[in-house]
Amino acid sequence: MILHINLRSVFLGERNGICVPIVPITRIGFLRKTIECKESRIGKQPISVPSNVTITLDGRDLKVKGPLGELSRTHPREVKLERDENGTIRVKKALDTRRANQMHGLFRTLTDNMVVGVSKGFEKRLQLVGVGYRATVEGKDLVLSLGFSHPVRMEIPSDLKVKVEENTRIIISGYDKCNIGQFAASVRKWRPPEPYKGKGVRYANEVIRLKEGKAGKKK
Ligand SMILES: *[C@@H]1O[C@H](CO)[C@@H](O)[C@H](O)[C@H]1NC(C)=O
Ligand SMILES: *[C@@H]1O[C@H](CO)[C@@H](O)[C@H](O)[C@H]1NC(C)=O
């Protein structure tokens, strides 16, 4: 997977369902200044590796293999990975720049997501809200009735599993958190919740701030 996005959006990554680059980032827009850098609190936390996960670390290339799948990532030069003797992974800053400081926390989270993904997996739930809105899985497709003249048919990516409950709850699971988020976002995009009645495709925990419609306006 190669996505060309700039680093500013990387930091907003998961909230927006945007994937983070798996390739090293070579274009750097910031000036490299030597500044006093605080250690990232998240970055400092070691990542524990369960016994069912195999780690292959070769310079900046990390491979993570577990019962649910296999993931790999090449880390940017701002961070380096080390293994403690008990198997724990530590993400460390390799440069003393503000950018390295930001990447430290980010890549600690991403590395942890890889380990959790291949051992326990992730899931994301969507809820269809609207009369007649429904979803079904037909073979390898997710079929959505969202009030258009034709149903929307989406191919389920091969590394993801999709389940539908009560015709309206879509459960997307897999080992790559990034791909789950992307697929969920692409389903939601067909009918993002509208602000009057909240009709549409919502994330299960999404709070829709409803606007008062003209008809419903009270005096
Ligand atoms: C692994 O070892 C490191 C020190 O090398 C220690 O900080 C950490 O707590 C240990 N983790 C476990 C799970 O024992
Ligand atoms: C892998 O090990 C972890 C930690 O022991 C456990 O929670 C998880 O369920 C295991 N995964 C599988 C698929 O057995």
Side-chain angles (χ1 to χ4, degrees):
M1 170 169 334
I2 297 168
L3 281 179
H4 297 280
I5 48 173
N6 67 33
L7 203 80
R8 278 177 201 282
S9 54
V10 168
F11 291 118
L12 304 171
E14 305 209 317
R15 231 177 301 148
N16 298 345
I18 300 165
C19 279
V20 205
I22 305 289
V23 291
I25 302 153
T26 47
R27 296 287 304 170
I28 293 175
F30 289 83
L31 284 177
R32 202 180 318 144
K33 287 186 213 147
T34 310
I35 36 164
E36 192 90 32
C37 288
K38 272 185 279 170
E39 281 281 320
S40 157
R41 206 179 314 157
I42 292 171
K44 272 198 289 189
Q45 291 165 19
I47 297 164
S48 62
V49 179
S51 57
N52 54 15
V53 173
T54 313
I55 302 288
T56 314
L57 190 56
D58 179 11
R60 301 207 306 256
D61 297 332
L62 173 72
K63 274 204 198 90
V64 174
K65 194 174 175 186
L68 304 184
E70 196 174 342
L71 290 169
S72 60
R73 167 175 286 119
T74 300
H75 286 78
R77 64 198 179 94
E78 280 83 355
V79 296
K80 60 178 183 236
L81 270 65
E82 285 172 10
R83 293 207 76 184
D84 288 333
E85 55 283 4
N86 57 15
T88 307
I89 303 177
R90 279 175 196 277
V91 179
K92 295 193 168 165
K93 285 195 296 176
L95 299 173
D96 199 26
T97 60
R98 191 187 319 166
R99 183 186 171 83
N101 195 46
Q102 292 170 317
M103 292 179 106
H104 185 204
L106 171 69
F107 279 94
R108 192 267 170 205
T109 300
L110 293 175
T111 304
D112 191 50
N113 285 349
M114 291 167 79
V115 173
V116 173
V118 300
S119 57
K120 294 183 188 152
F122 289 103
E123 66 167 43
K124 200 161 181 82
R125 290 166 177 256
L126 294 167
Q127 178 74 49
L128 305 186
V129 179
V131 176
Y133 287 9
R134 49 185 291 142
T136 51
V137 175
E138 286 177 17
K140 289 179 177 169
D141 295 343
L142 173 64
V143 183
L144 302 158
S145 300
L146 296 173
F148 300 116
S149 55
H150 294 287
V152 173
R153 193 171 272 275
M154 297 180 76
E155 195 182 335
I156 300 168
S158 60
D159 65 324
L160 301 183
K161 290 196 183 97
V162 176
K163 218 166 57 178
V164 176
E165 286 176 0
E166 289 168 15
N167 302 320
T168 55
R169 261 204 306 279
I170 303 170
I171 302 155
I172 304 163
S173 60
Y175 55 88
D176 188 336
K177 192 175 184 189
C178 193
N179 288 355
I180 296 171
Q182 257 200 338
F183 186 66
S186 65
V187 173
R188 184 180 175 279
K189 222 168 156 183
W190 285 105
R191 276 270 188 230
E194 50 85 12
Y196 293 99
K197 288 180 177 164
K199 261 175 62 169
V201 182
R202 301 182 184 186
Y203 295 123
N205 53 0
E206 187 173 6
V207 178
I208 312 295
R209 217 170 266 265
L210 296 184
K211 286 184 191 164
E212 212 174 329
K214 277 185 191 138
K217 210 171 237 173
K218 287 186 193 124
K219 294 212 167 139

